[in-house]
Short mmCIF file of all heavy atoms in Angstrom, two decimals:
data_model
loop_
_atom_site.label_atom_id
_atom_site.label_comp_id
_atom_site.label_asym_id
_atom_site.label_seq_id
_atom_site.Cartn_x
_atom_site.Cartn_y
_atom_site.Cartn_z
N CYS W 177 35.78 -11.99 11.58
CA CYS W 177 37.24 -12.07 11.58
C CYS W 177 37.82 -10.67 11.95
O CYS W 177 37.57 -9.70 11.27
CB CYS W 177 37.74 -12.49 10.21
SG CYS W 177 39.54 -12.43 10.10
N PRO W 178 38.60 -10.61 13.02
CA PRO W 178 39.14 -9.31 13.46
C PRO W 178 40.13 -8.77 12.44
O PRO W 178 40.40 -7.57 12.42
CB PRO W 178 39.87 -9.62 14.77
CG PRO W 178 39.45 -11.00 15.14
CD PRO W 178 39.04 -11.71 13.90
N THR W 179 40.65 -9.62 11.58
CA THR W 179 41.66 -9.15 10.61
C THR W 179 40.97 -8.62 9.35
O THR W 179 41.24 -7.47 8.96
CB THR W 179 42.60 -10.31 10.22
OG1 THR W 179 43.13 -10.87 11.41
CG2 THR W 179 43.70 -9.82 9.31
N CYS W 180 40.09 -9.42 8.72
CA CYS W 180 39.52 -8.97 7.45
C CYS W 180 38.08 -8.45 7.59
O CYS W 180 37.53 -7.87 6.69
CB CYS W 180 39.59 -10.08 6.41
SG CYS W 180 38.40 -11.41 6.69
N GLY W 181 37.48 -8.64 8.79
CA GLY W 181 36.17 -8.06 9.05
C GLY W 181 34.99 -8.83 8.53
O GLY W 181 33.85 -8.39 8.64
N ARG W 182 35.23 -9.99 7.92
CA ARG W 182 34.12 -10.72 7.33
C ARG W 182 33.56 -11.78 8.26
O ARG W 182 34.25 -12.29 9.14
CB ARG W 182 34.61 -11.39 6.05
CG ARG W 182 34.81 -10.41 4.92
CD ARG W 182 35.30 -11.19 3.68
NE ARG W 182 36.53 -10.66 3.19
CZ ARG W 182 36.63 -9.54 2.49
NH1 ARG W 182 35.58 -8.82 2.24
NH2 ARG W 182 37.81 -9.10 2.07
N THR W 183 32.30 -12.16 8.05
CA THR W 183 31.68 -13.22 8.82
C THR W 183 31.43 -14.43 7.94
O THR W 183 31.07 -15.51 8.43
CB THR W 183 30.34 -12.80 9.41
OG1 THR W 183 29.39 -12.64 8.34
CG2 THR W 183 30.44 -11.48 10.17
N ASN W 184 31.61 -14.28 6.65
CA ASN W 184 31.29 -15.41 5.75
C ASN W 184 32.53 -16.21 5.40
O ASN W 184 32.46 -17.14 4.61
CB ASN W 184 30.60 -14.89 4.50
CG ASN W 184 31.48 -13.94 3.71
OD1 ASN W 184 32.41 -13.35 4.26
ND2 ASN W 184 31.17 -13.76 2.44
N THR W 185 33.67 -15.84 5.98
CA THR W 185 34.90 -16.54 5.64
C THR W 185 35.48 -17.24 6.88
O THR W 185 36.50 -17.88 6.80
CB THR W 185 35.98 -15.53 5.16
OG1 THR W 185 36.01 -14.42 6.03
CG2 THR W 185 35.66 -15.06 3.74
N THR W 186 34.77 -17.09 7.99
CA THR W 186 35.28 -17.68 9.23
C THR W 186 34.65 -19.04 9.50
O THR W 186 33.58 -19.35 8.98
CB THR W 186 35.01 -16.78 10.45
OG1 THR W 186 33.62 -16.52 10.54
CG2 THR W 186 35.74 -15.45 10.31
N HIS W 187 35.34 -19.77 10.36
CA HIS W 187 34.87 -21.09 10.72
C HIS W 187 35.06 -21.20 12.23
O HIS W 187 36.13 -20.88 12.74
CB HIS W 187 35.76 -22.10 9.99
CG HIS W 187 35.33 -23.52 10.17
ND1 HIS W 187 34.21 -24.02 9.60
CD2 HIS W 187 35.86 -24.49 10.95
CE1 HIS W 187 34.09 -25.29 9.95
NE2 HIS W 187 35.06 -25.59 10.80
N VAL W 188 33.99 -21.56 12.92
CA VAL W 188 34.11 -21.65 14.40
C VAL W 188 34.69 -22.98 14.79
O VAL W 188 34.17 -24.03 14.41
CB VAL W 188 32.73 -21.40 15.05
CG1 VAL W 188 32.78 -21.77 16.52
CG2 VAL W 188 32.28 -19.98 14.85
N THR W 189 35.78 -22.98 15.56
CA THR W 189 36.47 -24.21 15.91
C THR W 189 36.26 -24.62 17.37
O THR W 189 36.56 -25.77 17.75
CB THR W 189 37.97 -24.07 15.66
OG1 THR W 189 38.44 -22.92 16.35
CG2 THR W 189 38.24 -23.92 14.16
N GLY W 190 35.74 -23.71 18.17
CA GLY W 190 35.49 -24.06 19.55
C GLY W 190 34.92 -22.88 20.29
O GLY W 190 34.73 -21.80 19.71
N PHE W 191 34.56 -23.08 21.58
CA PHE W 191 34.03 -21.96 22.33
C PHE W 191 34.26 -22.16 23.82
O PHE W 191 34.47 -23.29 24.27
CB PHE W 191 32.54 -21.74 22.02
CG PHE W 191 31.71 -23.01 22.15
CD1 PHE W 191 31.17 -23.38 23.39
CD2 PHE W 191 31.45 -23.79 21.03
CE1 PHE W 191 30.42 -24.53 23.48
CE2 PHE W 191 30.68 -24.94 21.14
CZ PHE W 191 30.17 -25.32 22.34
N ASP W 192 34.18 -21.08 24.55
CA ASP W 192 34.38 -21.12 26.00
C ASP W 192 33.17 -20.44 26.61
O ASP W 192 33.04 -19.22 26.59
CB ASP W 192 35.68 -20.39 26.35
CG ASP W 192 35.88 -20.26 27.85
OD1 ASP W 192 35.00 -20.73 28.62
OD2 ASP W 192 36.90 -19.68 28.25
N LEU W 193 32.28 -21.27 27.21
CA LEU W 193 31.04 -20.71 27.73
C LEU W 193 31.29 -19.78 28.90
O LEU W 193 30.60 -18.77 29.05
CB LEU W 193 30.11 -21.85 28.17
CG LEU W 193 29.59 -22.76 27.02
CD1 LEU W 193 28.68 -23.84 27.59
CD2 LEU W 193 28.85 -21.96 25.99
N GLU W 194 32.27 -20.15 29.71
CA GLU W 194 32.52 -19.32 30.90
C GLU W 194 33.15 -17.98 30.52
O GLU W 194 32.76 -16.91 30.98
CB GLU W 194 33.43 -20.05 31.87
CG GLU W 194 32.96 -19.94 33.31
CD GLU W 194 33.47 -21.11 34.10
OE1 GLU W 194 32.83 -22.19 34.09
OE2 GLU W 194 34.53 -20.94 34.73
N GLY W 195 34.15 -18.05 29.65
CA GLY W 195 34.83 -16.85 29.22
C GLY W 195 34.05 -16.08 28.17
O GLY W 195 34.42 -14.97 27.79
N GLU W 196 32.96 -16.65 27.71
CA GLU W 196 32.11 -16.04 26.70
C GLU W 196 32.90 -15.66 25.46
O GLU W 196 32.85 -14.51 24.98
CB GLU W 196 31.35 -14.84 27.26
CG GLU W 196 30.46 -15.22 28.44
CD GLU W 196 29.45 -14.12 28.84
OE1 GLU W 196 29.75 -12.94 28.63
OE2 GLU W 196 28.39 -14.49 29.34
N THR W 197 33.70 -16.61 24.97
CA THR W 197 34.47 -16.38 23.78
C THR W 197 34.27 -17.52 22.78
O THR W 197 33.81 -18.59 23.17
CB THR W 197 35.99 -16.27 24.06
OG1 THR W 197 36.40 -17.51 24.66
CG2 THR W 197 36.31 -15.08 24.95
N VAL W 198 34.66 -17.26 21.55
CA VAL W 198 34.54 -18.23 20.49
C VAL W 198 35.84 -18.32 19.72
O VAL W 198 36.46 -17.28 19.45
CB VAL W 198 33.39 -17.84 19.52
CG1 VAL W 198 33.39 -18.73 18.30
CG2 VAL W 198 32.03 -17.96 20.24
N ASP W 199 36.29 -19.52 19.39
CA ASP W 199 37.53 -19.68 18.61
C ASP W 199 37.16 -19.79 17.12
O ASP W 199 36.18 -20.39 16.76
CB ASP W 199 38.25 -20.98 19.03
CG ASP W 199 38.44 -21.01 20.55
OD1 ASP W 199 38.78 -19.95 21.14
OD2 ASP W 199 38.25 -22.11 21.14
N TYR W 200 37.99 -19.19 16.30
CA TYR W 200 37.67 -19.16 14.90
C TYR W 200 38.94 -19.34 14.06
O TYR W 200 40.09 -19.13 14.52
CB TYR W 200 37.02 -17.82 14.53
CG TYR W 200 38.05 -16.72 14.42
CD1 TYR W 200 38.60 -16.39 13.17
CD2 TYR W 200 38.50 -16.07 15.57
CE1 TYR W 200 39.58 -15.41 13.06
CE2 TYR W 200 39.49 -15.10 15.46
CZ TYR W 200 40.00 -14.77 14.22
OH TYR W 200 41.02 -13.84 14.15
N GLU W 201 38.74 -19.70 12.83
CA GLU W 201 39.76 -19.66 11.79
C GLU W 201 39.14 -18.95 10.59
O GLU W 201 37.98 -19.21 10.28
CB GLU W 201 40.17 -21.07 11.35
CG GLU W 201 41.07 -21.75 12.32
CD GLU W 201 41.37 -23.20 11.87
OE1 GLU W 201 41.10 -23.52 10.67
OE2 GLU W 201 41.77 -24.00 12.72
N CYS W 202 39.96 -18.11 9.94
CA CYS W 202 39.41 -17.41 8.77
C CYS W 202 40.22 -17.80 7.54
O CYS W 202 41.42 -18.05 7.63
CB CYS W 202 39.49 -15.90 8.99
SG CYS W 202 38.83 -14.95 7.61
N SER W 203 39.55 -17.79 6.42
CA SER W 203 40.24 -18.18 5.16
C SER W 203 41.27 -17.11 4.77
O SER W 203 42.09 -17.34 3.87
CB SER W 203 39.24 -18.39 4.02
OG SER W 203 38.47 -17.22 3.83
N CYS W 204 41.25 -15.98 5.43
CA CYS W 204 42.26 -14.96 5.15
C CYS W 204 43.57 -15.31 5.86
O CYS W 204 44.57 -14.63 5.69
CB CYS W 204 41.79 -13.56 5.57
SG CYS W 204 41.83 -13.24 7.33
N GLY W 205 43.56 -16.38 6.68
CA GLY W 205 44.75 -16.83 7.35
C GLY W 205 44.78 -16.53 8.81
O GLY W 205 45.53 -17.11 9.59
N SER W 206 43.88 -15.65 9.21
CA SER W 206 43.85 -15.26 10.63
C SER W 206 43.13 -16.33 11.43
O SER W 206 42.22 -16.99 10.96
CB SER W 206 43.14 -13.90 10.74
OG SER W 206 42.52 -13.77 11.98
N LYS W 207 43.57 -16.52 12.68
CA LYS W 207 42.79 -17.37 13.59
C LYS W 207 43.01 -16.92 15.01
O LYS W 207 43.98 -16.24 15.32
CB LYS W 207 43.13 -18.83 13.41
CG LYS W 207 44.50 -19.26 13.83
CD LYS W 207 44.60 -20.78 13.61
CE LYS W 207 45.93 -21.33 14.14
NZ LYS W 207 46.00 -22.79 13.95
N GLY W 208 42.05 -17.22 15.89
CA GLY W 208 42.17 -16.75 17.26
C GLY W 208 40.87 -16.88 18.00
O GLY W 208 40.09 -17.78 17.75
N THR W 209 40.61 -15.91 18.88
CA THR W 209 39.46 -15.97 19.77
C THR W 209 38.75 -14.62 19.73
O THR W 209 39.40 -13.57 19.73
CB THR W 209 39.95 -16.25 21.20
OG1 THR W 209 40.62 -17.53 21.20
CG2 THR W 209 38.78 -16.31 22.16
N VAL W 210 37.42 -14.64 19.67
CA VAL W 210 36.66 -13.39 19.74
C VAL W 210 35.65 -13.49 20.84
O VAL W 210 35.26 -14.56 21.26
CB VAL W 210 35.91 -13.11 18.38
CG1 VAL W 210 36.91 -12.79 17.28
CG2 VAL W 210 34.99 -14.24 18.02
N SER W 211 35.24 -12.31 21.31
CA SER W 211 34.24 -12.25 22.36
C SER W 211 32.86 -12.52 21.79
O SER W 211 32.58 -12.24 20.65
CB SER W 211 34.26 -10.86 22.99
OG SER W 211 33.12 -10.69 23.82
N MET W 212 32.02 -13.07 22.65
CA MET W 212 30.64 -13.25 22.20
C MET W 212 29.93 -11.90 22.10
O MET W 212 28.96 -11.74 21.38
CB MET W 212 29.86 -14.13 23.18
CG MET W 212 30.26 -15.61 23.09
SD MET W 212 29.33 -16.63 24.25
CE MET W 212 30.22 -18.17 24.08
N SER W 213 30.44 -10.92 22.86
CA SER W 213 29.86 -9.56 22.79
C SER W 213 30.46 -8.80 21.65
O SER W 213 31.49 -8.13 21.79
CB SER W 213 30.14 -8.84 24.12
OG SER W 213 29.76 -9.61 25.23
N GLY W 214 29.87 -8.92 20.52
CA GLY W 214 30.31 -8.13 19.38
C GLY W 214 31.33 -8.83 18.50
O GLY W 214 31.73 -8.27 17.46
N GLY W 215 31.75 -10.04 18.88
CA GLY W 215 32.73 -10.74 18.05
C GLY W 215 32.08 -11.57 16.96
O GLY W 215 32.74 -12.25 16.18
N GLY W 216 30.79 -11.51 16.89
CA GLY W 216 30.08 -12.29 15.87
C GLY W 216 28.59 -12.19 16.07
O GLY W 216 28.10 -11.36 16.80
N LYS W 217 27.90 -13.07 15.36
CA LYS W 217 26.44 -12.94 15.31
C LYS W 217 25.82 -14.31 15.08
O LYS W 217 26.36 -15.16 14.40
CB LYS W 217 26.08 -12.02 14.15
CG LYS W 217 24.62 -11.81 13.92
CD LYS W 217 24.42 -11.03 12.65
CE LYS W 217 22.90 -10.92 12.36
NZ LYS W 217 22.22 -12.20 12.25
N LEU W 218 24.66 -14.53 15.67
CA LEU W 218 23.91 -15.77 15.42
C LEU W 218 23.43 -15.75 13.98
O LEU W 218 23.12 -14.73 13.41
CB LEU W 218 22.72 -15.86 16.36
CG LEU W 218 23.03 -16.11 17.83
CD1 LEU W 218 21.82 -15.86 18.71
CD2 LEU W 218 23.53 -17.57 18.04
N VAL W 219 23.39 -16.93 13.39
CA VAL W 219 22.84 -17.01 12.00
C VAL W 219 21.36 -16.66 12.06
O VAL W 219 20.68 -16.83 13.09
CB VAL W 219 23.05 -18.42 11.37
CG1 VAL W 219 24.50 -18.75 11.29
CG2 VAL W 219 22.28 -19.48 12.13
N TRP W 220 20.84 -16.18 10.93
CA TRP W 220 19.49 -15.64 10.93
C TRP W 220 18.44 -16.56 11.53
O TRP W 220 17.63 -16.14 12.34
CB TRP W 220 19.11 -15.28 9.48
CG TRP W 220 17.63 -15.13 9.31
CD1 TRP W 220 16.82 -15.94 8.57
CD2 TRP W 220 16.79 -14.15 9.90
NE1 TRP W 220 15.50 -15.50 8.68
CE2 TRP W 220 15.47 -14.40 9.49
CE3 TRP W 220 17.03 -13.06 10.76
CZ2 TRP W 220 14.38 -13.64 9.89
CZ3 TRP W 220 15.93 -12.29 11.16
CH2 TRP W 220 14.63 -12.57 10.72
N ARG W 221 18.50 -17.81 11.17
CA ARG W 221 17.43 -18.73 11.64
C ARG W 221 17.45 -18.92 13.13
O ARG W 221 16.45 -19.36 13.70
CB ARG W 221 17.53 -20.07 10.90
CG ARG W 221 17.19 -19.97 9.42
CD ARG W 221 16.42 -21.19 8.96
NE ARG W 221 16.08 -21.06 7.56
CZ ARG W 221 15.04 -21.67 6.99
NH1 ARG W 221 14.27 -22.45 7.72
NH2 ARG W 221 14.78 -21.53 5.72
N VAL W 222 18.57 -18.60 13.76
CA VAL W 222 18.66 -18.73 15.22
C VAL W 222 18.53 -17.35 15.84
O VAL W 222 17.92 -17.19 16.93
CB VAL W 222 19.99 -19.40 15.64
CG1 VAL W 222 20.06 -19.54 17.17
CG2 VAL W 222 20.14 -20.77 14.96
N ASP W 223 19.06 -16.35 15.17
CA ASP W 223 18.97 -14.98 15.65
C ASP W 223 17.54 -14.56 15.90
O ASP W 223 17.20 -13.98 16.94
CB ASP W 223 19.66 -14.06 14.60
CG ASP W 223 19.58 -12.58 14.98
OD1 ASP W 223 18.45 -12.03 15.02
OD2 ASP W 223 20.62 -12.00 15.25
N TRP W 224 16.68 -14.92 14.98
CA TRP W 224 15.29 -14.49 15.06
C TRP W 224 14.61 -15.05 16.30
O TRP W 224 14.11 -14.27 17.14
CB TRP W 224 14.55 -14.89 13.75
CG TRP W 224 13.34 -14.09 13.48
CD1 TRP W 224 13.05 -12.83 13.90
CD2 TRP W 224 12.20 -14.52 12.72
NE1 TRP W 224 11.82 -12.43 13.42
CE2 TRP W 224 11.28 -13.46 12.70
CE3 TRP W 224 11.88 -15.73 12.05
CZ2 TRP W 224 10.04 -13.56 12.01
CZ3 TRP W 224 10.68 -15.79 11.39
CH2 TRP W 224 9.77 -14.74 11.36
N PRO W 225 14.56 -16.38 16.50
CA PRO W 225 13.92 -16.86 17.72
C PRO W 225 14.66 -16.44 18.98
O PRO W 225 14.05 -16.30 20.05
CB PRO W 225 13.97 -18.39 17.59
CG PRO W 225 14.95 -18.68 16.50
CD PRO W 225 14.95 -17.50 15.61
N ALA W 226 15.97 -16.20 18.88
CA ALA W 226 16.70 -15.80 20.08
C ALA W 226 16.23 -14.46 20.63
O ALA W 226 16.22 -14.21 21.83
CB ALA W 226 18.22 -15.71 19.74
#
Side-chain angles (χ1 to χ4, degrees):
Chain W
C177 174
T179 306
C180 73
R182 287 180 236 284
T183 69
N184 60 340
T185 47
T186 56
H187 184 74
V188 169
T189 53
F191 51 85
D192 174 359
L193 294 180
E194 224 155 276
E196 301 193 331
T197 60
V198 170
D199 308 320
Y200 77 95
E201 283 176 16
C202 180
S203 57
C204 76
S206 153
K207 67 178 185 178
T209 300
V210 292
S211 167
M212 288 180 189
S213 310
K217 178 188 176 302
L218 289 166
V219 300
W220 162 247
R221 290 218 179 206
V222 181
D223 178 293
W224 202 26

